[in-house]
Structures are given as C-alpha cells and as structure tokens.
C-alpha cells in the first residue's frame, strides 16, 4: 500500500474511533446539533457513536474495509439533515463556541464531501493490501 494511502487509512481509523468515543464522553455537544424533529436524541447519539467506533475498527481489516467504508459513507449521508439544521439555525452554540453561517456552509459543502471522498478512496480493499513481492516494480 502506498505510504499516503496507509497514512490516510490510519488517520481515518483514528478520526472515526475518537469521534465515536466522543459521542459517549460529551453527548450534550451532539444533542445541540440534532434537529428537534429527530426522536430520542440520546439513543440516536449512542447509535451514531457506536457505529463510528465499530466502523473504524472494521477498517483495520482489509477484508472488511469495503463494507466498513461503505458504512461510513452511509453514516455520513445520514448526517446531512444535521448539517442542514445547523445551517438553518446558525449562528448556533456548539461545543463551547458558536457556529457561524459561514462555518455551517463550510461543514456542509466542503468538509462533508471531503469526508465522503476520503472513505470512498479507502473502500477498495484490494488497493489497500500490500502487493505480493513478485508484482512490485
């Protein structure tokens, strides 16, 4: 696996694992982001955190990487209503600061697509496995 792709994989695993754990450490942060029409904020927060942790751990295994990356992509798609709500409600308090309309737009149209592309890039387990010695240049 090329060094850049390996580093991207390790960072993705760390990012989603830490983000998932954070859902349990600081649930109130995520509660402020959820639209009021979503039911059972605590349950949804715990499910999102658990999914992020499980998917991050599954990314470790090459044979599970495609499934896990697809799960991350689906999870990110499910978060789009939250980003739209943040945009509608901005400026809004978030994690001890205030999310401005500019930041809310950047999260929705820049950060979110980058996260989707990152997971998509790593979803091909064949590209993430080390090539056999006979196939190396």
């Amino acid at each position: 696996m090329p060094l850049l792709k390996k580093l991207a994989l390790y960072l993705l695993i760390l990012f989603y694992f830490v983000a998932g754990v954070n859902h349990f450490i600081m649930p109130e942060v995520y509660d402020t982001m959820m639209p009021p029409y979503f039911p059972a904020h605590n349950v949804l927060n715990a499910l999102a955190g658990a999914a992020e942790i499980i998917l991050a751990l599954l990314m470790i295994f090459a044979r599970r990487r495609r499934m896990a990356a697809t799960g991350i992509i689906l999870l990110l798609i499910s978060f789009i209503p939250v980003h739209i709500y943040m945009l509608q409600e901005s400026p809004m308090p978030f994690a001890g600061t205030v999310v401005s309309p500019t930041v809310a737009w950047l999260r929705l149209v820049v950060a979110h697509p980058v996260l989707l592309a990152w997971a998509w890039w790593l979803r091909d387990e064949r590209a993430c496995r080390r090539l056999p010695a006979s196939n190396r240049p």
Side-chain angles (χ1 to χ4, degrees), residues 19 23 53 84 87 94 101 112 134:
H23 278 264
I53 292 167
I84 292 170
L87 181 61
F94 176 72
H112 210 73
S134 61

Side-chain angles (χ1 to χ4, degrees), residues 22-109:
N22 199 47
H23 278 264
F24 297 99
I25 295 173
M26 300 174 57
E28 65 280 353
V29 169
Y30 299 95
D31 191 46
T32 62
M33 295 170 54
M34 284 200 211
Y37 52 83
F38 278 11
H41 286 191
N42 293 340
V43 173
L44 291 175
N45 179 56
L47 288 173
E52 288 178 340
I53 292 167
I54 291 166
L55 292 169
L57 294 174
L58 286 173
M59 288 295 293
I60 294 169
F61 305 101
R63 290 180 170 248
R64 299 290 174 236
R65 201 162 290 143
R66 184 178 188 90
M67 178 189 63
T70 301
I72 289 171
I73 291 165
L74 292 172
L75 193 63
L76 288 168
I77 290 169
S78 76
F79 293 162
I80 290 173
V82 172
H83 291 293
I84 292 170
Y85 175 72
M86 288 181 76
L87 181 61
Q88 291 170 332
E89 296 298 314
S90 62
M92 73 178 297
F94 176 72
T97 186
V98 175
V99 175
S100 70
T102 302
V103 170
W105 273 110
L106 288 172
R107 285 176 59 103
L108 180 62
V109 299

